[in-house]
Amino acid sequence: QGGGFRLIEAAMRARRLLACGTALASATRATMLSRLPFPPRTAFVGEVGAGLRAVQEAMAMASKVQRGVESMTKGDLSPVTVADFAAQAMVLSRLRAAYPEDGFIAEESSENMEDEFAAATSAAAEMSKSALKDAIDLGGIGWDRGRRWILDPIDGTKGFLRGEQFCCALCLLVDGSPAASVLGCPNLDSGTFAVALKGAGAFVFQHGAWSKLAVSDAAVGDGLRLVEGVARSHSNHDWSDAAFRSLGRPTEPVRLDSQAKAVVLSMARADAFLRLPKRGYVEKVWDAA
């Protein structure tokens, strides 16, 4: 019971902090959404806007919850927090309202949520418990439809728990092919969002402006910069270090959690990403959203 009360108190503190930061968050969101870097008639630009709005709101909540939050462990022994459940509920409920015929695939299920988490999560997401669970479980509805949204609500939960890098990863598949995607990385350079549209390019929003993403043009032997995950359970760092050093004289690798690595790579702040999974490690579709 003590842990449950601490979770609820943390969620309520987060709500008060969110209220204090509403004006700033709203101004940033308005600037970001009013200046989408795609022509208005571009296919799926509306979906990017809806996804970006939902991800930004969820990440504002997660940033406030990050300090002092507790976690529970799922059946696969991976950690999950109030923010994972709340972010999934917030993003999916907003997308369902905008695109009611679409399907959704997302990481979390309300079956994994302990009762004490339900109270804290409903407070963080500002939803009733029943609405919260219904929204979370949209993640298993319509997986076989032509249009499917793929969501990892909090990618990099271990980084989130350490107060470091995490992100919200969202992708729209149309007939099995990626059409649009959004990444929200609240702790990357004090807040970074990236969007992509098939055939229209990829862009990053930082410091109040959009800029086009372009990967590094460094060649093998130029002192390549490697980015890789923090968790040794995901990749064998010794193998990747040996493989990468065979290509030249690389600098020390940059290690960070979550798909924020994709943004770092796309901004040419690293030249290569390498993952050499250990036996038993399995990637899920939301791990590449």
Side-chain angles (χ1 to χ4, degrees):
Q1 288 183 344
F5 285 127
R6 286 195 299 272
L7 285 167
I8 295 170
E9 288 170 359
M12 295 306 294
R13 285 197 302 272
R15 289 183 68 175
R16 290 193 291 270
L17 287 168
L18 277 171
C20 294
T22 296
L24 178 59
S26 297
T28 300
R29 182 177 63 188
T31 300
M32 183 167 60
L33 293 172
S34 66
R35 300 176 183 175
L36 285 178
F38 306 107
R41 297 182 181 275
T42 306
F44 306 112
V45 70
E47 284 84 343
V48 165
L52 185 59
R53 182 179 298 107
V55 167
Q56 194 275 338
E57 291 176 353
M59 291 299 90
M61 174 278 302
S63 293
K64 303 305 181 184
V65 171
Q66 188 175 27
R67 292 185 179 180
V69 73
E70 296 184 37
S71 67
M72 56 175 274
T73 302
K74 295 187 289 187
D76 62 359
L77 302 182
S78 61
V80 63
T81 71
V82 164
D84 290 79
F85 291 118
Q88 179 160 318
M90 292 173 70
V91 173
L92 294 189
S93 63
R94 285 152 179 72
L95 292 177
R96 181 61 178 270
Y99 303 103
E101 301 303 316
D102 289 1
F104 304 95
I105 301 174
E107 183 171 10
E108 309 304 342
S109 165
S110 68
E111 291 182 356
N112 295 327
M113 187 165 55
E114 297 173 356
D115 289 342
E116 63 184 32
F117 262 63
T121 306
S122 64
E126 299 187 351
M127 296 181 182
S128 68
K129 288 184 183 180
S130 60
L132 175 80
K133 291 185 176 182
D134 288 345
I136 290 171
D137 290 336
L138 288 172
I141 294 177
W143 60 269
D144 56 346
R145 295 177 186 172
R147 284 173 48 111
R148 290 165 288 174
W149 294 87
I150 313 299
L151 173 68
D152 194 333
I154 300 290
D155 186 39
T157 301
K158 292 179 180 178
F160 179 86
L161 289 169
R162 291 195 307 272
E164 297 175 3
Q165 295 297 331
F166 69 97
C167 76
C168 181
L170 178 68
C171 177
L172 174 64
L173 297 182
V174 177
D175 297 327
S177 177
S181 66
V182 176
L183 275 174
C185 310
N187 292 345
L188 186 61
D189 297 337
S190 301
T192 299
F193 290 83
V195 296
L197 273 177
K198 186 176 182 179
F203 296 81
V204 63
F205 185 87
Q206 287 187 318
H207 312 301
W210 289 102
S211 58
K212 190 173 180 59
L213 287 169
V215 298
S216 167
D217 59 359
V220 172
D222 287 347
L224 299 180
R225 299 162 297 170
L226 172 68
V227 62
E228 62 181 351
V230 174
R232 289 183 175 272
S233 59
H234 291 178
S235 183
N236 190 314
H237 289 173
D238 293 335
W239 291 354
S240 61
D241 183 65
F244 207 62
R245 288 186 181 281
S246 71
L247 300 177
R249 290 186 174 180
T251 58
E252 288 299 311
V254 175
R255 293 190 175 120
L256 62 156
D257 296 280
S258 85
Q259 293 174 67
K261 292 187 287 291
V263 179
V264 170
L265 193 64
S266 298
M267 293 174 68
R269 287 166 57 176
D271 305 306
F273 166 65
L274 187 61
R275 173 171 286 173
L276 299 171
K278 296 182 178 180
R279 186 182 300 275
Y281 177 74
V282 178
E283 289 274 344
K284 304 295 179 62
V285 64
W286 48 75
D287 292 320

